[in-house]
Amino acid sequence: MAVADDAGQIGKIKGSGVIERGMDVVVGAKDVAVQSMDTAVTARGTMQIDFIDDTRVDLTEHSRLLIDEFVY
């Protein structure tokens, strides 16, 4: 299985959040890598994802974001 390149990382997280990567669930924490086809999920928390092209996405509580394609 090929290792995907990182599209960015979690810049900030407050409360609960995870990164779903295939069948794996990675507990959200500052500096955790984010890759294409990951899903960022928050419950009772917020998460900031900083991408390598200097863009940023802020997730509010009870959100799901699929990073289906990252073009840089």
Side-chain angles (χ1 to χ4, degrees):
M1 182 169 135
V3 176
D5 290 332
D6 294 345
Q9 64 187 16
I10 297 175
K12 294 180 186 176
I13 188 163
K14 181 178 180 183
S16 59
V18 298
I19 300 295
E20 296 176 350
R21 182 171 295 142
M23 298 301 289
D24 296 328
V25 176
V26 180
V27 175
K30 185 172 175 14
D31 298 328
V32 167
V34 177
Q35 302 171 352
S36 290
M37 300 314 296
D38 281 356
T39 301
V41 182
T42 60
R44 298 186 73 190
T46 60
M47 183 185 304
Q48 174 184 308
I49 299 175
D50 299 321
F51 291 97
I52 60 173
D53 66 355
D54 294 327
T55 58
R56 182 178 90 193
V57 173
D58 293 308
L59 282 77
T60 58
E61 291 184 341
H62 307 289
S63 297
R64 290 182 70 82
L65 173 69
L66 171 63
I67 302 163
D68 61 351
E69 184 175 12
F70 180 75
V71 179
Y72 176 66

